[in-house]
Every structure is written in C-alpha cells, then in structure tokens.
Amino acid sequence: MSRTVTVGLDDSPEGRAAAEWAAREALLRGLPLKIVHVQEPTPKYVARTPLLDLDGYQHWAQQFIQESAEGIRLRHPRIEVITEQLTGTVADVLCEAAGFAELLVLGSRALGGMEGFMVGSVSLGVVARAERPVVLVRAEEQAADEHRMDPAGVPSAAAPFRPVVLGLDIDRPDDTLLEFAFDAAARREAVLRAVHAWSEPPTSFHRFPGDAELCDTLERGQSSLLSKVLRPWRQKFPNVEVIEASRCGSAAQVLVNDSRDASLVVVGRRIRTGAFGAHIGHVTHSALHHVAAPVAVVAHS
C-alpha cells in the first residue's frame, strides 16, 4: 500500500488550515493526500432521540468532505486527493490512520497572547500514541507564513522558505528524527537550524572564581558534540545549509525562542512501552503549546 499524507479534517478553522498545509506537504513529497473525517459512534439511547437527525448529519458530513476535497483539487491540481469517512473513537481511528501514512496532520487552536495554543485531548492523545510523524497546524496558518519576505517586504509563498528548526538531544540523538528534519529542509530548500540546550554548571549560581572559564569550556564541548552528531547528516544531505545552535538554558525555552522565524519545527517523542503508557516529553509539550509554526512530532525508539 502506497503511503499518503493524511489529514484529520473537521469543520473548524484549524481543521481547514491543517488540510491546506497537508496539501502543500503532499505536493512537496509527491504523495497523494488522504482526507479523513471521523464520526463518533452514537449511543443507542441518543440515536432514538427524535430531535437528532442522523441521516441529515451523514448527508452533511459526506457533502462537507467532498466539497473540501474538490476545493483542494482546484487549488492544488497536481496532487491526488482521496477521501475517507470513518466511524469510531476519534483518537483511536486517527492513530490507526497514521499507521498507513507518511505523516498525519491535525489542527491546533490558538488561545492568543502569551497563553500559547490549545492542544485538544484528541490531538494530544494521537501525538502521544502514534508511531508515525504527526504535524499540528494552527488555525491561522497560511502558505505565506512559511516563507521569508519578498523584496517588497511582504510575506510571499514565492519567496524562499523560512528555516526548519530541529530540537535535538545530543545525549540520545535518533536517526529517525534527524532524517525527518534534514529531509524536510531539503524538500523546502531551507536552512536547517539544529537547536541544542545545555545547563549552566551548579556553581554558576554562586559566581565562584573560574566560573566564566568553566562555562566557556562547557560551551565549546557542547558545540563540539553537536557538530559530531550532525556531521554524518551534513554529508548525507550536502545541499542543506545547517546552522548549529548550542545554547545555555532551559531546553524548552531555548527551542521556543529559536523557533520564532521557523517554517516548521521538528521535535521527537520517545516511544515508551512501560506501565505508565504513552508520554510526551516536556520539551515537546512546550513546543506544541507555544510555537506558532507547524510542529512535527516524530516518534522514535
């Protein structure tokens, strides 16, 4: 079965933005776009309620997904668009759909201001469980937002892409995560900014003599380790320009700060099979809530 870029679509601004982003990604990857609409099963006692028009909803849902697909075909005539209507628990169905996809795309709603973004329970549940990459897209995301300003100072989809930002743990680097980030940058002909954070030495709080020298030594060592991790991937993707950003500070805050001009942010999620079940790390959780650009969460071992 051939892979697809799959999007979970509902009738919301973030759902529609996710579908448009998924269409553009399908074009970059040369893959079909699959639009999936999931309907929760209706309990029997609810189905017998006279005011509930199940047939009317089914007709609306079918018309909605068909019209959405036709709109995407008109705007992106070079991609194949497939539609599928499914019934079941939304998170479960989308996790299953992700297993057959190159990546799964979902919407995420903004709260505004300094509060960041709302990631619903469905999206978080899918991100925490899916073993394929999942991309979350904000409701206001536009094609031009992924690109630099044109010569007139206006955001334009005709201008080069903004950087792809990779949040990287150099103590446990994973090939799946690195491959996804380098490939995404290569397809966009964009700069890849690899971001790694490290902590100050414990003595720096007290400002003991020699702390500055110790910090300099740590900084050089961390930068060298980051370069070592990235070296084979630079060789594999020689056309990708890489910026190495090794910074002192909180990993979550450093990543959010370095992602303000990103077209795409790529973070990892370690697949856990322990008794406590699925888990999203604090850095990935912070990116999902506070990064404005689309965020790709790549599951890895």
Side-chain angles (χ1 to χ4, degrees):
M1 181 181 294
S2 61
R3 291 281 185 179
T4 62
V5 173
T6 298
V7 59
L9 179 64
D10 59 16
D11 187 21
S12 67
E14 56 269 26
R16 290 189 289 270
E20 286 296 324
W21 189 93
R24 299 194 297 271
E25 186 68 14
L27 185 61
L28 283 173
R29 293 174 177 267
L31 292 174
L33 171 68
K34 177 183 279 189
I35 301 174
V36 174
H37 177 74
V38 184
Q39 179 185 354
E40 290 271 8
T42 306
K44 291 182 179 179
Y45 70 88
V46 175
R48 290 194 294 267
T49 302
L51 296 179
L52 186 62
D53 184 2
L54 290 177
D55 291 337
Y57 175 81
Q58 292 283 3
H59 176 74
W60 170 86
Q62 185 176 16
Q63 185 176 25
F64 166 67
I65 195 171
Q66 288 177 350
E67 289 178 352
S68 299
E70 283 304 312
I72 288 174
R73 290 186 184 104
L74 287 172
R75 291 185 293 276
H76 306 278
R78 289 187 291 165
I79 63 173
E80 178 188 357
V81 181
I82 306 163
T83 63
E84 190 170 19
Q85 289 181 261
L86 301 170
T87 301
T89 303
V90 177
D92 293 343
V93 173
L94 290 175
C95 280
E96 184 176 354
F100 298 99
E102 191 76 9
L103 71 162
L104 176 69
V105 186
L106 302 173
S108 178
R109 186 162 69 252
L111 292 175
M114 296 298 292
E115 295 175 306
F117 295 90
M118 179 184 296
V119 183
S121 59
V122 169
S123 295
L124 279 178
V126 175
V127 166
R129 293 161 51 198
E131 297 192 2
R132 298 294 301 167
V134 180
V135 181
L136 266 62
V137 179
R138 312 308 180 188
E140 303 300 322
E141 177 71 19
Q142 302 287 329
D145 296 336
E146 302 171 346
H147 296 261
R148 299 184 184 276
M149 300 288 188
D150 67 12
V154 178
S156 169
F161 276 92
R162 295 177 182 272
V164 172
V165 175
L166 166 64
L168 188 59
D169 179 358
I170 62 173
D171 293 328
R172 294 181 295 179
D174 183 85
D175 288 351
T176 304
L177 179 65
L178 285 155
E179 176 91 38
F180 185 96
F182 270 85
D183 179 71
R187 292 180 187 279
R188 290 163 172 77
E189 298 182 356
V191 170
L192 176 65
R193 183 185 300 144
V195 179
H196 160 66
W198 51 277
S199 301
E200 285 186 305
T203 60
S204 63
F205 178 77
H206 303 285
R207 302 301 176 195
F208 290 144
D211 278 348
E213 182 178 350
L214 177 58
C215 282
D216 287 344
T217 301
L218 281 172
E219 183 174 5
R220 289 193 297 272
Q222 292 293 316
S223 295
S224 177
L225 288 173
L226 178 59
S227 296
K228 182 179 179 180
V229 169
L230 294 173
R231 190 173 298 122
W233 295 95
R234 284 177 176 270
Q235 295 170 352
K236 186 173 181 177
F237 292 87
N239 294 326
V240 174
E241 179 185 350
V242 180
I243 296 175
E244 300 179 10
S246 178
R247 310 197 192 284
C248 178
S250 157
Q253 191 59 56
V254 166
L255 178 62
V256 170
N257 289 342
D258 266 85
S259 300
R260 298 190 190 281
D261 64 339
S263 64
L264 177 68
V265 175
V266 182
V267 290
R269 180 189 69 80
R270 194 167 296 278
I271 298 172
R272 303 176 188 271
T273 57
F276 294 104
H279 175 70
I280 300 174
H282 76 281
V283 175
T284 296
H285 198 274
S286 182
L288 291 175
H289 282 276
H290 297 290
V291 171
V295 177
V297 182
V298 180
H300 59 83
S301 57

